[in-house]
Amino acid sequence: MAELLPEAKDSGKVSFWRTLRVVAWAFVGLRNRSGHQQDMAQVKPVHVIVVGVLGALFLVLALIWLVNTVLAA
């Protein structure tokens, strides 16, 4: 069986950075099956939803800023 990452060993608690990494991989769309299954077993869905919505908001705001910067030049 695959060895758990050190941050996954401590009593089921998942750090903010791990949740952020899971959502970032989802945005990119690249993930191996074993890593995905391991993350989904440990990450709380509410945290993924919150980080996903914040990530999408950040992406949209960054694109708006980029377009305004390019058009202003």
Side-chain angles (χ1 to χ4, degrees):
M1 182 131 201
E3 184 176 311
L4 293 176
L5 296 174
E7 58 198 55
K9 290 181 182 178
D10 45 288
S11 71
K13 291 185 180 179
V14 178
S15 71
F16 169 76
W17 297 112
R18 178 146 183 165
T19 305
L20 188 63
R21 191 182 78 197
V22 167
V23 172
W25 276 116
F27 272 115
V28 174
L30 299 173
R31 191 76 173 136
N32 62 12
R33 183 174 299 268
S34 63
H36 171 74
Q37 290 173 345
Q38 181 181 9
D39 287 338
M40 288 300 107
Q42 297 169 350
V43 176
K44 293 183 180 178
V46 173
H47 295 162
V48 174
I49 292 169
V50 169
V51 172
V53 168
L54 292 175
L57 180 65
F58 175 76
L59 179 65
V60 168
L61 291 176
L63 288 174
I64 290 172
W65 173 80
L66 180 66
V67 168
N68 286 333
T69 302
V70 169
L71 292 178

Coordinates of all heavy atoms in Angstrom, one line a residue:
M1 N 0.8 -1.2 0.0 CA 0.0 0.0 0.0 C 0.9 1.2 0.0 O 2.0 1.2 0.5 CB -0.9 0.0 1.2 CG -1.8 1.1 1.3 SD -3.4 0.4 1.7 CE -4.5 1.7 1.2
A2 N 0.4 2.3 -0.6 CA 1.2 3.5 -0.7 C 1.4 4.1 0.7 O 0.6 4.1 1.5 CB 0.5 4.5 -1.6
E3 N 2.6 4.6 0.9 CA 3.0 5.2 2.2 C 2.3 6.6 2.3 O 2.3 7.4 1.3 CB 4.5 5.4 2.3 CG 5.0 5.9 3.6 CD 6.5 5.9 3.7 OE1 7.1 4.9 3.3 OE2 7.0 7.0 4.0
L4 N 1.8 6.9 3.4 CA 1.1 8.2 3.6 C 2.1 9.3 3.8 O 3.2 9.1 4.3 CB 0.2 8.2 4.9 CG -1.0 7.3 4.8 CD1 -1.7 7.3 6.2 CD2 -1.9 7.7 3.7
L5 N 1.8 10.5 3.3 CA 2.7 11.6 3.5 C 2.7 12.0 5.0 O 1.7 11.7 5.7 CB 2.1 12.8 2.7 CG 2.1 12.6 1.2 CD1 1.5 13.8 0.5 CD2 3.5 12.4 0.7
P6 N 3.8 12.6 5.5 CA 3.9 12.9 6.9 C 2.7 13.8 7.4 O 2.3 13.6 8.5 CB 5.2 13.7 7.0 CG 6.0 13.3 5.8 CD 5.0 13.0 4.7
E7 N 2.2 14.7 6.6 CA 1.1 15.6 7.1 C -0.2 14.8 7.2 O -1.1 15.3 7.8 CB 1.0 16.8 6.2 CG 0.7 16.5 4.8 CD 1.0 17.6 3.8 OE1 2.1 18.1 3.9 OE2 0.1 18.0 3.1
A8 N -0.3 13.7 6.5 CA -1.5 12.9 6.5 C -1.5 11.9 7.7 O -2.6 11.3 8.0 CB -1.7 12.1 5.2
K9 N -0.4 11.7 8.4 CA -0.4 10.7 9.4 C -0.9 11.2 10.8 O -1.3 10.4 11.6 CB 1.1 10.3 9.7 CG 1.7 9.5 8.5 CD 3.1 9.1 8.8 CE 3.7 8.3 7.7 NZ 5.1 8.0 7.9
D10 N -1.0 12.5 11.0 CA -1.5 13.0 12.3 C -3.0 13.1 12.4 O -3.6 14.1 12.1 CB -0.8 14.4 12.6 CG -0.9 15.3 11.4 OD1 -0.1 15.1 10.4 OD2 -1.6 16.3 11.5
S11 N -3.5 12.0 12.9 CA -4.9 11.9 13.3 C -6.0 12.5 12.4 O -6.9 13.1 12.8 CB -5.1 12.5 14.7 OG -5.0 13.9 14.7
G12 N -5.8 12.4 11.1 CA -6.8 12.8 10.1 C -6.9 14.3 9.9 O -7.7 14.7 9.1
K13 N -6.0 15.1 10.5 CA -6.0 16.5 10.2 C -5.3 16.8 8.9 O -4.2 16.3 8.7 CB -5.4 17.3 11.4 CG -6.2 17.2 12.7 CD -5.5 18.1 13.7 CE -6.3 18.1 15.0 NZ -5.7 18.9 16.0
V14 N -5.9 17.6 8.1 CA -5.3 18.0 6.9 C -5.0 19.5 6.9 O -5.9 20.3 7.2 CB -6.2 17.6 5.7 CG1 -5.6 18.1 4.4 CG2 -6.5 16.2 5.7
S15 N -3.8 19.9 6.5 CA -3.5 21.3 6.6 C -4.1 22.1 5.5 O -4.6 21.6 4.5 CB -2.0 21.4 6.5 OG -1.5 21.1 5.2
F16 N -4.1 23.4 5.7 CA -4.7 24.3 4.6 C -3.9 24.2 3.4 O -4.4 24.2 2.3 CB -4.6 25.8 5.2 CG -4.8 26.8 4.1 CD1 -6.1 27.0 3.7 CD2 -3.8 27.5 3.6 CE1 -6.4 28.0 2.7 CE2 -4.1 28.5 2.6 CZ -5.4 28.7 2.2
W17 N -2.6 24.0 3.5 CA -1.7 23.9 2.3 C -2.0 22.7 1.5 O -1.9 22.7 0.3 CB -0.2 24.0 2.7 CG 0.1 25.4 3.3 CD1 0.4 25.6 4.6 CD2 0.0 26.6 2.7 NE1 0.6 26.9 4.8 CE2 0.4 27.6 3.7 CE3 -0.3 27.1 1.4 CZ2 0.4 28.9 3.4 CZ3 -0.2 28.4 1.1 CH2 0.1 29.3 2.1
R18 N -2.3 21.6 2.2 CA -2.6 20.4 1.5 C -3.9 20.5 0.7 O -4.1 20.1 -0.4 CB -2.7 19.2 2.4 CG -3.1 17.9 1.7 CD -2.5 16.7 2.3 NE -2.9 15.6 1.5 CZ -2.3 14.5 1.5 NH1 -1.3 14.3 2.4 NH2 -2.7 13.5 0.8
T19 N -4.9 21.1 1.3 CA -6.2 21.4 0.7 C -6.0 22.3 -0.5 O -6.5 22.1 -1.6 CB -7.2 22.0 1.6 OG1 -7.4 21.2 2.8 CG2 -8.6 22.2 1.0
L20 N -5.2 23.3 -0.4 CA -4.8 24.2 -1.5 C -4.2 23.5 -2.6 O -4.5 23.7 -3.8 CB -3.9 25.4 -1.0 CG -3.6 26.5 -1.9 CD1 -4.9 27.2 -2.3 CD2 -2.6 27.4 -1.3
R21 N -3.3 22.6 -2.3 CA -2.6 21.8 -3.3 C -3.6 20.8 -4.0 O -3.5 20.7 -5.3 CB -1.5 20.9 -2.7 CG -0.6 20.3 -3.7 CD 0.5 19.4 -3.0 NE -0.2 18.2 -2.7 CZ 0.3 17.3 -1.8 NH1 1.4 17.5 -1.2 NH2 -0.4 16.2 -1.5
V22 N -4.5 20.3 -3.3 CA -5.5 19.4 -3.9 C -6.4 20.2 -4.9 O -6.6 19.8 -6.1 CB -6.4 18.8 -2.9 CG1 -7.7 18.1 -3.5 CG2 -5.7 17.8 -2.0
V23 N -6.8 21.4 -4.5 CA -7.6 22.2 -5.4 C -6.8 22.7 -6.6 O -7.3 22.8 -7.7 CB -8.2 23.4 -4.6 CG1 -8.9 24.4 -5.6 CG2 -9.2 22.9 -3.6
A24 N -5.5 23.1 -6.4 CA -4.6 23.5 -7.5 C -4.5 22.4 -8.5 O -4.5 22.6 -9.7 CB -3.3 23.9 -7.0
W25 N -4.3 21.1 -8.1 CA -4.2 20.0 -9.0 C -5.5 19.8 -9.8 O -5.5 19.5 -10.9 CB -3.9 18.7 -8.3 CG -2.4 18.5 -8.0 CD1 -1.8 18.5 -6.8 CD2 -1.4 18.4 -9.0 NE1 -0.4 18.3 -7.0 CE2 -0.2 18.2 -8.3 CE3 -1.4 18.3 -10.4 CZ2 1.0 18.0 -9.0 CZ3 -0.2 18.1 -11.0 CH2 1.0 18.0 -10.3
A26 N -6.6 20.1 -9.1 CA -7.9 20.0 -9.8 C -8.1 21.1 -10.9 O -8.6 20.8 -11.9 CB -9.0 20.1 -8.8
F27 N -7.6 22.3 -10.6 CA -7.6 23.3 -11.6 C -6.8 23.0 -12.8 O -7.2 23.2 -13.9 CB -7.1 24.7 -11.0 CG -8.2 25.5 -10.4 CD1 -8.2 25.7 -9.0 CD2 -9.3 26.0 -11.1 CE1 -9.1 26.5 -8.4 CE2 -10.2 26.8 -10.5 CZ -10.2 27.0 -9.1
V28 N -5.6 22.4 -12.6 CA -4.7 22.0 -13.7 C -5.3 20.8 -14.4 O -5.2 20.7 -15.6 CB -3.3 21.7 -13.1 CG1 -2.4 21.2 -14.2 CG2 -2.7 23.0 -12.5
G29 N -5.9 19.9 -13.7 CA -6.5 18.7 -14.3 C -5.5 17.5 -14.4 O -5.8 16.6 -15.1
L30 N -4.4 17.6 -13.8 CA -3.4 16.5 -13.8 C -3.2 15.9 -12.4 O -2.9 16.6 -11.5 CB -2.0 17.0 -14.2 CG -1.9 17.7 -15.6 CD1 -0.6 18.3 -15.8 CD2 -2.2 16.7 -16.7
R31 N -3.5 14.6 -12.3 CA -3.4 14.0 -11.0 C -3.4 12.5 -11.2 O -4.2 11.9 -12.0 CB -4.6 14.3 -10.1 CG -4.5 13.9 -8.7 CD -3.6 14.9 -8.0 NE -3.6 14.6 -6.6 CZ -2.5 14.5 -5.8 NH1 -1.4 14.7 -6.3 NH2 -2.7 14.1 -4.6
N32 N -2.5 11.8 -10.5 CA -2.5 10.3 -10.6 C -3.6 9.8 -9.7 O -4.1 10.4 -8.8 CB -1.2 9.7 -10.3 CG -0.7 10.0 -8.9 OD1 -1.5 10.4 -8.1 ND2 0.5 9.7 -8.6
R33 N -4.1 8.6 -10.1 CA -5.3 8.0 -9.4 C -5.0 7.8 -7.9 O -5.8 8.0 -7.1 CB -5.7 6.7 -10.1 CG -7.0 6.1 -9.5 CD -7.5 4.9 -10.3 NE -7.8 5.3 -11.6 CZ -9.0 5.7 -12.0 NH1 -10.0 5.7 -11.2 NH2 -9.3 5.9 -13.3
S34 N -3.9 7.2 -7.6 CA -3.6 6.9 -6.2 C -3.5 8.1 -5.3 O -4.0 8.2 -4.2 CB -2.3 6.1 -6.1 OG -1.2 6.8 -6.5
G35 N -2.9 9.2 -5.8 CA -2.8 10.4 -5.1 C -4.2 11.1 -4.9 O -4.5 11.6 -3.8
H36 N -5.0 11.0 -5.9 CA -6.3 11.6 -5.9 C -7.2 10.8 -4.8 O -7.9 11.5 -4.0 CB -7.0 11.5 -7.2 CG -8.4 11.9 -7.2 ND1 -8.9 13.2 -7.1 CD2 -9.6 11.1 -7.3 CE1 -10.2 13.2 -7.1 NE2 -10.6 11.9 -7.2
Q37 N -7.1 9.5 -4.9 CA -7.9 8.7 -3.9 C -7.4 9.0 -2.5 O -8.3 9.1 -1.6 CB -7.8 7.2 -4.3 CG -8.6 6.9 -5.5 CD -8.3 5.5 -6.0 OE1 -7.4 4.8 -5.5 NE2 -9.2 5.0 -6.9
Q38 N -6.2 9.1 -2.3 CA -5.6 9.4 -0.9 C -6.1 10.7 -0.4 O -6.5 10.9 0.7 CB -4.1 9.3 -1.0 CG -3.4 9.5 0.4 CD -1.9 9.5 0.3 OE1 -1.4 9.4 -0.8 NE2 -1.3 9.5 1.4
D39 N -6.0 11.7 -1.3 CA -6.5 13.1 -0.9 C -7.9 13.1 -0.6 O -8.4 13.7 0.4 CB -6.1 14.1 -2.0 CG -4.6 14.4 -2.1 OD1 -3.9 14.2 -1.1 OD2 -4.2 14.8 -3.1
M40 N -8.7 12.5 -1.4 CA -10.2 12.5 -1.2 C -10.6 11.8 0.1 O -11.6 12.1 0.7 CB -10.9 11.9 -2.4 CG -10.9 12.8 -3.7 SD -11.6 14.4 -3.4 CE -10.2 15.5 -3.3
A41 N -9.8 10.8 0.5 CA -10.1 10.1 1.7 C -9.8 11.0 3.0 O -10.3 10.7 4.0 CB -9.3 8.8 1.8
Q42 N -8.9 12.0 2.8 CA -8.5 12.8 3.9 C -9.0 14.2 4.0 O -9.1 14.8 5.1 CB -6.9 12.8 4.0 CG -6.3 11.4 4.1 CD -4.9 11.4 3.9 OE1 -4.3 12.4 3.4 NE2 -4.2 10.3 4.2
V43 N -9.3 14.8 2.9 CA -9.7 16.2 2.8 C -11.3 16.3 3.0 O -12.0 15.5 2.5 CB -9.3 16.8 1.4 CG1 -9.8 18.2 1.3 CG2 -7.8 16.7 1.3
K44 N -11.7 17.3 3.8 CA -13.1 17.5 4.0 C -13.7 18.2 2.8 O -13.1 19.2 2.3 CB -13.3 18.3 5.3 CG -12.9 17.6 6.5 CD -13.2 18.4 7.7 CE -12.8 17.6 9.0 NZ -13.0 18.4 10.2
P45 N -14.8 17.8 2.3 CA -15.4 18.4 1.1 C -15.7 19.9 1.3 O -15.6 20.7 0.4 CB -16.7 17.7 0.9 CG -16.5 16.3 1.6 CD -15.6 16.6 2.7
V46 N -16.1 20.3 2.5 CA -16.4 21.7 2.7 C -15.1 22.6 2.5 O -15.2 23.7 1.9 CB -16.9 21.9 4.2 CG1 -17.1 23.4 4.5 CG2 -18.2 21.2 4.3
H47 N -14.0 22.1 3.0 CA -12.8 22.8 2.8 C -12.4 22.9 1.3 O -11.9 24.0 0.9 CB -11.6 22.2 3.5 CG -11.8 22.2 5.0 ND1 -11.1 21.4 5.9 CD2 -12.6 22.9 5.8 CE1 -11.5 21.6 7.1 NE2 -12.4 22.6 7.1
V48 N -12.6 21.9 0.6 CA -12.3 21.9 -0.9 C -13.2 22.9 -1.6 O -12.8 23.6 -2.4 CB -12.5 20.5 -1.5 CG1 -12.3 20.5 -3.0 CG2 -11.5 19.5 -0.8
I49 N -14.5 22.9 -1.2 CA -15.4 23.8 -1.8 C -15.0 25.3 -1.6 O -15.0 26.1 -2.5 CB -16.9 23.6 -1.4 CG1 -17.3 22.2 -1.9 CG2 -17.8 24.7 -1.8 CD1 -18.6 21.7 -1.3
V50 N -14.7 25.6 -0.3 CA -14.3 27.0 0.1 C -13.1 27.4 -0.7 O -13.0 28.5 -1.3 CB -14.2 27.1 1.6 CG1 -13.5 28.4 2.0 CG2 -15.5 26.9 2.3
V51 N -12.0 26.5 -0.7 CA -10.8 26.9 -1.3 C -11.0 26.9 -2.8 O -10.4 27.8 -3.5 CB -9.7 25.8 -1.0 CG1 -8.4 26.1 -1.8 CG2 -9.4 26.0 0.5
G52 N -11.8 26.1 -3.4 CA -12.1 26.1 -4.8 C -12.8 27.4 -5.2 O -12.5 28.0 -6.3
V53 N -13.8 27.8 -4.5 CA -14.5 29.1 -4.8 C -13.5 30.3 -4.7 O -13.5 31.2 -5.6 CB -15.7 29.3 -3.9 CG1 -16.3 30.7 -4.0 CG2 -16.8 28.3 -4.2
L54 N -12.7 30.3 -3.6 CA -11.7 31.4 -3.5 C -10.7 31.3 -4.6 O -10.3 32.4 -5.1 CB -11.0 31.3 -2.1 CG -11.9 31.6 -0.9 CD1 -11.1 31.4 0.4 CD2 -12.4 33.0 -1.0
G55 N -10.3 30.1 -5.0 CA -9.3 30.0 -6.1 C -9.9 30.5 -7.4 O -9.3 31.2 -8.2
A56 N -11.2 30.2 -7.7 CA -11.8 30.6 -8.9 C -12.0 32.1 -8.9 O -11.8 32.8 -9.9 CB -13.2 29.9 -9.1
L57 N -12.4 32.7 -7.8 CA -12.5 34.2 -7.6 C -11.1 34.8 -7.9 O -11.1 35.8 -8.6 CB -13.0 34.5 -6.2 CG -13.2 36.0 -6.0 CD1 -14.3 36.6 -6.9 CD2 -13.6 36.2 -4.5
F58 N -10.1 34.3 -7.3 CA -8.7 34.8 -7.5 C -8.4 34.8 -9.0 O -7.8 35.7 -9.6 CB -7.7 34.1 -6.7 CG -6.3 34.5 -7.0 CD1 -5.8 35.7 -6.5 CD2 -5.5 33.7 -7.7 CE1 -4.5 36.2 -6.7 CE2 -4.2 34.1 -8.0 CZ -3.7 35.4 -7.5
L59 N -8.7 33.6 -9.7 CA -8.4 33.5 -11.1 C -9.1 34.5 -11.9 O -8.5 35.1 -12.8 CB -8.7 32.1 -11.5 CG -8.4 31.7 -13.0 CD1 -7.0 31.8 -13.3 CD2 -9.0 30.4 -13.3
V60 N -10.4 34.7 -11.7 CA -11.2 35.7 -12.4 C -10.6 37.1 -12.2 O -10.5 37.9 -13.2 CB -12.7 35.6 -12.1 CG1 -13.5 36.7 -12.6 CG2 -13.2 34.3 -12.6
L61 N -10.4 37.4 -11.0 CA -9.8 38.8 -10.7 C -8.5 39.0 -11.3 O -8.2 40.1 -11.8 CB -9.8 39.0 -9.2 CG -11.1 39.1 -8.5 CD1 -10.9 39.2 -6.9 CD2 -11.9 40.3 -9.0
A62 N -7.6 38.0 -11.3 CA -6.3 38.1 -12.0 C -6.5 38.3 -13.5 O -5.7 39.1 -14.1 CB -5.5 36.8 -11.6
L63 N -7.4 37.6 -14.1 CA -7.6 37.7 -15.5 C -8.2 39.1 -15.8 O -7.8 39.7 -16.8 CB -8.5 36.6 -16.0 CG -7.9 35.2 -16.1 CD1 -9.0 34.2 -16.5 CD2 -6.8 35.2 -17.1
I64 N -9.1 39.6 -15.0 CA -9.6 41.0 -15.2 C -8.5 42.0 -15.1 O -8.4 42.9 -15.9 CB -10.8 41.3 -14.2 CG1 -12.0 40.4 -14.6 CG2 -11.1 42.8 -14.2 CD1 -13.1 40.5 -13.6
W65 N -7.6 41.9 -14.1 CA -6.5 42.8 -13.9 C -5.6 42.7 -15.1 O -5.1 43.8 -15.6 CB -5.8 42.4 -12.6 CG -4.5 43.2 -12.5 CD1 -4.4 44.5 -12.0 CD2 -3.2 42.8 -12.8 NE1 -3.1 44.9 -12.0 CE2 -2.3 43.9 -12.5 CE3 -2.7 41.6 -13.3 CZ2 -1.0 43.8 -12.7 CZ3 -1.3 41.5 -13.5 CH2 -0.5 42.6 -13.2
L66 N -5.3 41.5 -15.6 CA -4.4 41.3 -16.7 C -4.9 42.0 -18.0 O -4.2 42.7 -18.7 CB -4.1 39.9 -17.0 CG -3.2 39.5 -18.1 CD1 -1.8 40.0 -17.8 CD2 -3.2 38.0 -18.4
V67 N -6.2 41.8 -18.3 CA -6.8 42.4 -19.4 C -6.8 43.9 -19.3 O -6.5 44.6 -20.3 CB -8.3 41.9 -19.6 CG1 -9.0 42.7 -20.7 CG2 -8.2 40.4 -20.0
N68 N -7.2 44.5 -18.2 CA -7.2 45.9 -18.0 C -5.7 46.5 -18.1 O -5.6 47.6 -18.7 CB -7.7 46.3 -16.6 CG -9.2 46.1 -16.6 OD1 -9.9 46.2 -17.6 ND2 -9.8 45.9 -15.4
T69 N -4.7 45.8 -17.6 CA -3.4 46.2 -17.8 C -2.9 46.2 -19.2 O -2.3 47.2 -19.7 CB -2.4 45.3 -16.9 OG1 -2.9 45.3 -15.6 CG2 -1.0 45.8 -17.0
V70 N -3.3 45.2 -20.0 CA -2.9 45.1 -21.4 C -3.6 46.2 -22.2 O -3.0 46.8 -23.1 CB -3.2 43.7 -21.9 CG1 -3.0 43.7 -23.5 CG2 -2.2 42.7 -21.3
L71 N -4.9 46.4 -21.9 CA -5.6 47.4 -22.7 C -5.2 48.8 -22.4 O -5.4 49.7 -23.2 CB -7.1 47.2 -22.5 CG -7.7 45.9 -23.0 CD1 -9.2 45.8 -22.7 CD2 -7.5 45.8 -24.5
A72 N -4.8 49.1 -21.2 CA -4.3 50.4 -20.8 C -3.0 50.8 -21.4 O -2.7 52.0 -21.5 CB -4.2 50.5 -19.3
A73 N -2.2 49.8 -21.8 CA -0.9 50.1 -22.3 C -0.9 50.5 -23.8 O -1.8 50.5 -24.5 CB 0.0 48.8 -22.2

